[in-house]
Amino acid sequence: MANTANEKNFFADVCKNFDSAAQFTAHPEGLLTQIKACNSVYRFQFPIRRGNGFEVIDAWRVEHSQHMNPTKGGIRYSDMVNEDEVMALAALMTYKCAIVNVPFGGAKGGICINPKNYTIGELENITRRYTTELIKKNFIGPGIDVPAPDYGTGEREMSWIADTYMTMNPGQLDALGCVTGKPIALHGIRGRKEATGRGVAYAIRECVSVAEDMAKIGLKAGLGDKRVIVQGLGNVGYHSAKFLAEFGATIVGLCEFEGAIYNENGFNIDEVFAHRKLTGSILGFPGAVEFKNSMEGLEQPCDILVPAALENQLTVENIRNIKAKIIAEGANGPTTPEAEEIFTEMRGIIIPDMYCNAGGVTVSYFEWLKNLSHVAFGRMENRYAENSNRNLINTLESLTGKSIPAEHRLMIVKGASELELVNSGLEDTMIHSYHEIRETLLSKAGVKTLRTAAFVGSIDKIAVSYMNLGVWP
Ligand code: GLU
């Protein structure tokens, strides 16, 4: 993958996209400037003991906007993390939450380490110290700022954060709501891990379901005949591929650090995943054409490309070689504004990151609600619903004299589980938001891309919040 995160001005790119959209709104210049600004940037360093000596760790937490509280966003562990990147990602979180109507401001954290170079004990030390530094400055808390997983972090790191926070805030009733993406055993929520990828798949399914939009780019409606290339086999890429295949698409290409593989007949994602786990590489997978240069994998024939790794992957250098008609941004910021302009001229559609990968934060919101209410979704009503449904069926059967087949009975009677409720809330959110964005695209003269339309909707919502707060007259 292109390792260009440090060479680009990512925050400026986000602001550029913001400005392109702001011209289609009627808000005063000062308010737009306030929305765009990163309100709080906390940069800190701390030492950890390593080997016989010490190492100084660089870390950040950025709260982009407090128009809603708490602020929300993941924590990234990568040796490419820098202040500009964390600011850009925090800003994207603000717009993302607004699009999917999740009542949070945006934030992001980052620690400049390659987690592969540290032992589990060292990672635990780093995570706990990072959390302590956030507590000292009031940069974490269920009503202040709520981190989550991002690139290089997962459930393990979230449980260390939760444990450190609870230790430092004994007796705080809502303490578990200080972080999301926790394991189930620590009051996480079912479906959070796969939520971003599942959301990406819903977003794509929704986009390709509109026959008239597909006709414009020479495609048929539906996922059944779609060939997909996915970049990144991490949590987002893996689950995007898995659910897209489940919805009927064919995964023809996969790209990772070590190279890319392609097979026009399609891959079983779990087989490729198992092969990589065993051999340490996707290369060597039976029956696939291979590319040692991973970026070549993105340029192979397909209908949909899902960059689900890092920012700045699709640039003026390679965008003209992309065969896909649809780019669905599983990652944050994978396409530069210049590349998007060219791709739009090529009559391609980009499903923008701030909507496309918003499934993660949507389910984080559900987890936070679960933590604040101290009860799992469905726990109170599940059995009640089952009993009511059973009574209804029994009554119908006795009134009509007919009996309902056992498998139908089971389906009708069953109350919803936490996972079913989470997935249905996520699906509803992704469907609703897609059509909201598309509506703006169709109704605002001059708006040419889904990204600009998404920004317009988002800016409008944030502006209303500022006005309701009385911050703006
Ligand atoms: N890191 C994820 C994102 O970029 C999730 C954030 C969250 O759940 O708060 O959207």
Side-chain angles (χ1 to χ4, degrees):
M1 267 163 260
N3 182 355
T4 51
N6 288 314
E7 295 150 30
K8 279 287 298 185
N9 200 347
F10 189 9
F11 184 59
D13 281 353
V14 175
C15 292
K16 197 167 173 187
N17 286 328
F18 179 101
D19 291 337
S20 309
Q23 57 175 312
F24 299 105
T25 70
H27 307 297
E29 191 54 41
L31 177 53
L32 292 169
T33 307
Q34 169 56 51
I35 295 174
K36 216 168 29 167
C38 270
N39 287 357
S40 321
V41 180
Y42 178 29
R43 189 216 161 163
F44 50 106
Q45 292 175 303
F46 54 84
I48 59 148
R49 201 182 284 277
R50 258 199 124 184
N52 295 326
F54 288 93
E55 185 178 313
V56 177
I57 304 287
D58 286 307
W60 289 265
R61 184 74 186 171
V62 173
E63 292 172 359
H64 170 260
S65 175
Q66 285 100 348
H67 70 287
M68 292 223 180
N69 284 298
T71 51
K72 187 87 189 74
I75 301 179
R76 178 171 288 206
Y77 288 6
S78 151
D79 51 12
M80 290 187 293
V81 161
N82 59 66
E83 191 160 307
D84 177 75
E85 184 191 42
V86 186
M87 285 168 68
L89 293 168
L92 279 174
M93 284 307 303
T94 295
Y95 309 127
K96 191 184 296 189
C97 290
I99 285 173
V100 288
N101 296 319
V102 164
F104 297 141
K108 203 77 168 200
I111 303 186
C112 187
I113 51 165
N114 178 350
K116 291 197 181 90
N117 299 338
Y118 294 80
T119 64
I120 294 183
E122 286 166 344
L123 288 173
E124 179 170 356
N125 279 347
I126 292 170
T127 308
R128 288 186 183 277
R129 178 63 188 259
Y130 176 84
T131 310
T132 310
E133 296 295 331
L134 295 185
I135 295 169
K136 272 160 62 182
K137 298 281 180 191
N138 225 9
F139 262 76
I140 184 170
I144 299 170
D145 186 359
V146 182
D150 198 83
Y151 190 84
T153 57
E155 288 182 351
R156 183 182 63 183
E157 287 72 20
M158 301 309 115
S159 34
W160 289 330
I161 294 173
D163 185 56
T164 308
Y165 184 85
M166 289 190 295
T167 307
M168 306 280 278
N169 292 277
Q172 195 188 99
L173 200 56
D174 293 329
L176 275 167
C178 74
V179 65
T180 60
K182 302 180 292 294
I184 301 295
L186 205 67
H187 301 263
I189 198 163
R190 286 181 174 75
R192 172 61 186 85
K193 198 168 178 184
E194 55 271 43
T196 312
R198 187 181 268 279
V200 170
Y202 286 145
I204 296 171
R205 193 188 63 185
E206 220 38 45
C207 173
V208 301
S209 73
V210 187
E212 116 194 42
D213 294 353
M214 291 303 101
K216 285 187 199 149
I217 56 171
L219 296 179
K220 279 199 283 187
L223 270 174
D225 64 338
K226 299 293 178 293
R227 300 160 304 158
V228 183
I229 293 178
V230 178
Q231 182 197 35
L233 258 186
N235 185 38
V236 180
Y238 167 77
H239 284 108
S240 303
K242 197 170 166 62
F243 290 116
L244 281 168
E246 224 175 274
F247 296 167
T250 307
I251 309 301
V252 292
L254 292 162
C255 316
E256 255 298 344
F257 290 103
E258 62 272 13
I261 52 174
Y262 186 87
N263 185 339
E264 60 185 8
N265 298 320
F267 292 111
N268 174 323
I269 183 79
D270 283 317
E271 284 175 10
V272 178
F273 199 79
H275 170 86
R276 188 168 192 243
K277 211 165 174 195
L278 195 73
T279 66
S281 171
I282 53 173
L283 298 176
F285 188 77
V289 182
E290 309 196 333
F291 304 92
K292 292 259 156 33
N293 172 4
S294 170
M295 296 306 281
E296 252 185 87
L298 305 181
E299 301 173 4
Q300 301 312 306
C302 69
D303 305 299
I304 302 169
L305 173 62
V306 184
L310 283 170
E311 56 266 26
N312 294 323
Q313 300 300 301
L314 300 165
T315 65
V316 288
E317 308 294 329
N318 63 354
I319 194 73
R320 287 185 184 84
N321 304 332
I322 298 301
K323 313 280 184 309
K325 294 278 175 58
I326 298 172
I327 295 172
E329 297 183 329
N332 290 309
T335 319
T336 64
E338 299 76 20
E340 174 155 31
E341 235 170 78
I342 298 169
F343 193 67
T344 308
E345 274 165 29
M346 289 161 63
R347 302 176 70 81
I349 295 177
I350 297 186
I351 310 177
D353 48 8
M354 50 201 285
Y355 157 69
C356 192
N357 66 37
V361 76
T362 301
V363 176
S364 274
Y365 171 46
F366 301 156
E367 179 176 335
W368 181 75
L369 291 174
K370 173 181 177 177
N371 296 151
L372 296 195
S373 61
H374 301 267
V375 62
F377 289 101
R379 177 164 177 181
M380 298 292 284
E381 58 273 30
N382 201 329
R383 188 154 301 270
Y384 182 83
E386 282 187 15
N387 288 339
S388 306
N389 295 343
R390 197 172 292 114
N391 286 341
L392 183 71
I393 290 197
N394 290 345
T395 312
L396 277 176
E397 282 184 339
S398 69
L399 286 177
T400 60
K402 292 190 177 139
S403 66
I404 292 178
E407 69 271 25
H408 291 178
R409 173 178 265 273
L410 211 69
M411 204 170 68
I412 301 167
V413 164
K414 201 183 123 347
S417 68
E418 181 176 79
L419 182 62
E420 285 163 331
L421 290 168
V422 163
N423 287 344
S424 108
L426 171 61
E427 183 172 10
D428 191 56
T429 302
M430 295 308 290
I431 293 175
H432 177 86
S433 299
Y434 185 77
H435 293 285
E436 196 174 288
I437 298 167
R438 184 173 176 271
E439 204 44 53
T440 308
L441 177 65
L442 297 181
S443 63
K444 286 244 178 211
V447 173
K448 289 205 188 85
T449 63
L450 286 170
R451 190 184 322 273
T452 305
F455 261 105
V456 168
S458 201
I459 293 170
D460 281 343
K461 288 181 195 172
I462 300 164
V464 168
S465 299
Y466 269 111
M467 288 172 198
N468 287 343
L469 285 171
V471 177
W472 227 266

